[in-house]
Amino acid sequence: MKLTTMIKKMCPSNSELSIPARNCSRLVILGSSKVGKTAIVSRFLTGRFEDAYTPTVEDFHRKFYAIRGELYQLDILDTSGHHPQPPPHRLSCSAPAGDVFILVFSLDNRESFEEAQRLKQQILDTKSCLRNKPKGRADVPLVLCGNKGDRDLHREVEPAEVRQLLGDGPPRCAYFEVSAKKNSSLDPMFRALFAMAGLPGEMSPGLHRRLSAQHCEALHQALRGGKPLRAGGPGGALGIVAPFARRPSVHSDLLCVREKVGGQAKDRERCVIS
């Protein structure tokens, strides 16, 4: 039997895990190219940092958690910093189906900060339309992330500018200056983001034990009350990155959006969701 087939058989799908919809969320990472989005995702999933730069088209990851007797699923969409489409259509697929957002910019690149401002406004406008709220006033769990804080270079974005931007944002919005290279302030950033979204803090990398694909059955054991496993986080929280995760289709995303908004958005046909 091929190794890939063996792992797929060993690791249960989300349907086999019977994860309730309320425990399924999508994290979307947005920002200009070369600001460190993929490096942040890599730190979150594996704890590693890669020096080599490879442009991202779009990467999709899925992580399962067993936390305090419940299973959770977190989908992570690492988007491209290159936008071939006009600005109004950049978030056509990522924003509506996203539940929590990280907007990344580089502290030594003003253009990337200005792009983060535009993306923030587009997210709020799109979510407001879907939820039938005044334009730009949707309450969306969102973190502005100033990356490359380890660089000894000329700083082009000052904290006061970011605070001013946050002043016009939703209540659930925060700012962190981080270094993906040095793994600095990333864990507090994720903890704050998950807290704003009402998700368990144990989803943060430092608060659960990472399991490899060969130990997927541990998620079932955690729920069945089987032999306890030594866990690195409080309450024996476990997490595992699903191998071979496939991004849901745009059609699936739209169905998900429809379920989330229900009948709230009277003008939903005018929203940029396709």
Side-chain angles (χ1 to χ4, degrees), residues 14-225:
N14 59 327
S15 59
E16 291 170 335
L17 288 172
S18 300
I19 301 176
R22 69 177 184 278
N23 290 355
C24 296
S25 302
R26 177 176 293 184
L27 166 61
V28 181
I29 317 286
L30 294 157
S32 301
S33 61
K34 299 183 180 180
V35 295
K37 298 186 298 296
T38 299
I40 291 172
V41 172
S42 178
R43 282 291 192 188
F44 179 80
L45 294 174
T46 69
R48 296 191 294 269
F49 176 81
E50 300 291 341
D51 278 311
Y53 172 71
T54 304
T56 299
V57 177
E58 181 181 271
D59 288 336
F60 180 83
H61 310 273
R62 176 166 288 168
K63 189 164 183 175
F64 296 118
Y65 297 87
I67 301 173
R68 299 192 294 275
E70 286 197 69
L71 285 177
Y72 293 83
Q73 174 186 310
L74 181 68
D75 290 347
I76 303 167
L77 190 62
D78 180 10
T79 62
S80 170
H82 299 281
H83 305 292
Q85 295 178 316
H89 301 286
R90 289 179 188 171
L91 303 178
S92 59
C93 296
S94 57
D99 298 296
V100 292
F101 297 85
I102 298 178
L103 305 184
V104 186
F105 66 91
S106 179
L107 291 167
D108 60 2
N109 186 322
R110 171 158 289 279
E111 288 185 3
S112 69
F113 174 60
E114 293 171 350
E115 174 68 358
Q117 294 183 65
R118 289 190 289 268
L119 289 167
K120 172 178 172 286
Q121 192 58 51
Q122 290 176 48
I123 291 170
L124 297 181
D125 288 347
T126 301
K127 289 294 189 179
S128 296
C129 179
L130 288 168
R131 298 172 183 176
N132 201 29
K133 301 282 186 181
K135 188 175 182 180
R137 302 312 302 171
D139 186 10
V140 182
L142 184 152
V143 164
L144 278 169
C145 172
N147 190 28
K148 304 187 181 181
D150 57 282
R151 290 191 171 187
D152 188 19
L153 296 174
H154 176 64
R155 182 181 181 124
E156 295 190 1
V157 182
E158 297 299 328
E161 298 178 85
V162 184
R163 287 195 294 269
Q164 183 178 4
L165 176 61
L166 291 180
D168 297 329
R172 292 187 291 176
C173 188
Y175 172 58
F176 286 84
E177 293 189 358
V178 309
S179 168
K181 184 174 184 178
K182 293 187 176 182
N183 200 22
S184 171
S185 298
L186 288 174
D187 205 65
M189 179 186 75
F190 283 112
R191 293 189 201 186
L193 180 63
F194 293 142
M196 287 188 289
L199 296 172
E202 291 91 334
M203 285 186 170
S204 186
L207 295 179
H208 65 269
R209 180 187 175 193
R210 291 193 184 99
L211 297 178
S212 63
Q214 288 82 353
H215 298 91
C216 290
E217 181 61 22
L219 290 175
H220 285 299
Q221 292 179 3
L223 291 185
R224 290 199 303 256

